[in-house]
Amino acid sequence: LAVKDTMSTGRSIQRRSQRVLSDFTQTTTHAMQMLPHIHDLLADGSAEVAVEMLELTGAWVEGMKKEAGRTRVEYQSYARQLDAVTRVLQEEKGSWDPKTEDAGVALTSMPQQDLPALPPGEAWAKLDQLLALPDGEKVHSTSLAERRPSLLAALAHARRVLAVVERCGMLWNSLEASMTKLAKLREHAVVLASKAAEAPRLQSRLMDHLSDYRAVWEELEAMCTSFARAMEAAERSPRAS
């Protein structure tokens, strides 16, 4: 039951993070549409309007960063919860009589996928598949003979999910890092834009800085799109481990 409840928690986190990522994808699309206009305004000397638009993108970044941080913390907390469950299952497994334990279903003999090697986007999609599996439904059985195989399967499954959750944390770390970089670039761009009118020599530096700002937005847009496609592929594929 602990594994079943834990998987249910994981599905809730995964669904919320999907919604967050969908919002991120829309926001990056809006930003990419706005940046050319900001460039043209700065090139024409309309710094005041350009700064207002930069400030708007900055507000988007702050909102996204807050959500990314919250989601990262949720995955970290979930990883700790999974770890606690695997420890409990491991302790129960260790309480059995080694002489009667079926070596054929022992944890060490069960196939282990190389899930930690998955890229974050693919790991996130894989997690969606793993969380949908019904492993652990029979763990509450009162018969030791019935409980042993299901507990071993639940333990192996929980460990596989934990490995993927840890990889998924990389996704949110990467997104948060990109947003931190965007926030700093936006601050510098606003300062340069405010001073460029009085110091024409800063115009070239401002345009270079704006190009860097756009490049990070493009990077963020690519990440969001890639992860969204991975999730869509997971939704279309059969639910299998």
Side-chain angles (χ1 to χ4, degrees), residues 161-192:
V161 174
L162 177 57
V164 179
V165 167
E166 290 172 345
R167 290 293 296 180
C168 290
M170 294 178 59
L171 158 65
W172 298 99
N173 281 333
S174 297
L175 290 174
E176 201 172 3
S178 292
M179 292 165 194
T180 298
K181 188 175 182 179
L182 275 174
K184 292 180 179 179
L185 286 170
R186 194 270 311 167
E187 290 175 4
H188 294 160
V190 168
V191 172
L192 288 172

Side-chain angles (χ1 to χ4, degrees), residues 2-13 15 78 131:
V3 173
K4 188 176 180 181
D5 290 343
T6 304
M7 297 303 109
S8 178
T9 299
R11 285 194 292 273
S12 296
I13 295 173
R15 284 194 293 269
Y78 184 51
L131 291 173

Side-chain angles (χ1 to χ4, degrees), residues 47-105:
E48 185 175 347
V49 178
V51 167
E52 290 179 359
M53 296 177 75
L54 280 170
E55 294 288 11
L56 177 58
T57 64
W60 293 347
V61 170
E62 288 303 316
M64 293 168 68
K65 185 179 177 182
K66 181 178 180 180
E67 284 297 325
R70 175 185 173 188
T71 306
R72 173 181 54 77
V73 170
E74 284 184 343
Y75 273 95
Q76 290 173 341
S77 176
Y78 184 51
R80 289 192 293 271
Q81 182 181 351
L82 273 171
D83 184 61
V85 169
T86 57
R87 288 176 184 274
V88 170
L89 291 173
Q90 183 65 44
E91 288 176 2
E92 181 154 0
K93 171 180 175 291
S95 68
W96 300 333
D97 183 354
K99 294 180 181 179
T100 61
E101 182 173 331
D102 183 1
V105 294

